[in-house]
């Protein structure tokens, strides 16, 4: 039996293109499900902070943040948000920047490592991004994150302890160090099978194509080894 394709994804909860890329990846892989020999894929998310200096509670909206912290004019910021909202809609995501609560994401990344250890990372990644971009929920405070962890099927007390102890902070930093080693400067960034790097929120078809390509390479390698 051919081993699963490993897809490592560097992303940030507060990155609008990361959620789009996540959904396009999922839809791209879903398009292969009907293949006679459908690719088997394992996905793992890795930590990347776009703005590690962001406070836990930012006083203002997304336009305020982009203009105050990124030096972008309010007009340009609104145009950027309108554009990404349109691209998100094409991916089936209804972004609500009017509700969004800008916050520091390091605790959310710690929680994702806790979820990975407990087999619920994919579920939590979806819940965190939906909470941030679609529902206007806070993803930077311990108690808010604990409730989102419960939604993902994680134990409430264990999630609270994971955040209070900061024992997953080292794992977050290790992901970030690995991103530096790979030369990753922006997210989303996908590493396919440890050898192909894909940058940005690629269209659905691109993910379908590379999954089939890599699976075909796996089949050929397996057949050669068995010969």
């Amino acid at each position: 039996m051919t081993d699963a394709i490993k897809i490592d994804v560097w992303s940030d909860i507060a990155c609008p293109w990361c959620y789009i890329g996540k959904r396009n990846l999922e839809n791209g892989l879903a398009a292969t499900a009907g293949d006679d020999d459908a690719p088997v894929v394992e996905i793992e998310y890795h930590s990347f902070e776009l703005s590690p200096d962001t406070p836990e509670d930012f006083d203002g909206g997304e336009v305020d943040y982009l203009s105050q912290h990124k030096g972008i004019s309010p007009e340009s910021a609104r145009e950027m948000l309108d554009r990404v909202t349109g691209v998100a809609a094409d991916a089936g995501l209804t972004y609500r920047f009017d509700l969004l609560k800008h916050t520091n994401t390091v605790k959310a990344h710690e929680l994702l490592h806790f979820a990975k250890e407990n087999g619920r990372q994919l579920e939590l990644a979806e819940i965190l991004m939906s909470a941030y971009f679609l529902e206007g929920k806070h993803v930077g405070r311990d108690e808010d994150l604990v409730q989102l962890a419960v939604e993902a099927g994680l134990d409430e007390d264990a999630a609270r302890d994971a955040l209070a102890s900061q024992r997953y902070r080292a794992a977050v930093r290790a992901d970030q160090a690995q991103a530096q080693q790979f030369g990753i400067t922006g997210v989303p960034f996908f590493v396919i099978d440890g050898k192909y790097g894909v940058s940005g929120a690629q269209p659905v078809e691109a993910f379908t194509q590379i999954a089939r390509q890599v699976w075909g390479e796996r089949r050929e390698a397996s057949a050669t080894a068995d010969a």
Side-chain angles (χ1 to χ4, degrees):
M1 182 177 177
T2 306
D3 292 335
I5 298 169
K6 180 70 182 300
I7 301 182
D8 293 284
V9 187
W10 271 262
S11 69
D12 193 1
I13 302 304
C15 164
W17 295 104
C18 292
Y19 199 8
I20 294 167
K22 177 181 184 297
R23 188 61 85 246
N24 286 352
L25 170 64
E26 292 163 350
N27 290 336
L29 295 176
T32 71
D35 293 1
D36 290 337
D37 183 16
V40 178
V41 177
E42 176 190 345
I43 300 171
E44 181 177 337
Y45 283 92
H46 298 274
S47 306
F48 193 101
E49 290 179 273
L50 285 172
S51 302
D53 58 341
T54 304
E56 185 175 293
D57 289 294
F58 176 74
D59 185 17
E62 189 70 356
V63 170
D64 299 315
Y65 179 82
L66 290 171
S67 59
Q68 293 175 25
H69 287 256
K70 301 298 182 182
I72 300 169
S73 72
E75 295 76 15
S76 296
R78 291 187 190 93
E79 290 175 4
M80 287 173 56
L81 296 180
D82 286 345
R83 175 171 174 261
V84 75
T85 298
V87 178
D90 291 339
L93 301 169
T94 306
Y95 279 6
R96 291 295 305 272
F97 286 108
D98 58 319
L99 301 177
L100 187 147
K101 294 178 175 61
H102 208 89
T103 186
N104 191 289
T105 59
V106 69
K107 290 181 179 180
H109 286 298
E110 291 178 43
L111 196 63
L112 279 169
H113 279 280
F114 165 72
K116 179 175 71 174
E117 197 172 84
N118 289 275
R120 307 295 292 178
Q121 192 194 45
L122 298 186
E123 291 84 355
L124 183 64
E126 176 63 29
I127 285 170
L128 286 171
M129 289 186 174
S130 176
Y132 188 74
F133 285 108
L134 311 187
E135 303 164 45
K137 294 181 179 179
H138 205 299
V139 299
R141 296 186 299 235
D142 284 21
E143 282 308 309
D144 296 271
L145 286 168
V146 167
Q147 294 311 308
L148 294 172
V150 171
E151 285 185 34
L154 293 160
D155 181 78
E156 180 176 351
D157 291 335
R160 185 176 289 110
D161 178 67
L163 291 170
S165 67
Q166 295 189 359
R167 67 177 180 272
Y168 293 96
R169 185 70 58 96
V172 173
R173 300 303 180 221
D175 275 355
Q176 294 168 333
Q178 189 171 16
Q180 280 192 318
Q181 292 173 359
F182 285 166
I184 299 171
T185 57
V187 287
F189 194 93
F190 306 84
V191 177
I192 316 292
D193 228 25
K195 57 183 179 179
Y196 298 113
V198 178
S199 179
Q202 298 294 320
V204 171
E205 297 77 17
F207 289 116
T208 302
Q209 179 181 353
I210 196 166
R212 285 173 173 157
Q213 174 190 327
V214 173
W215 194 244
E217 292 171 1
R218 285 291 194 87
R219 282 203 310 267
E220 291 177 10
S222 180
T224 301
D226 293 340

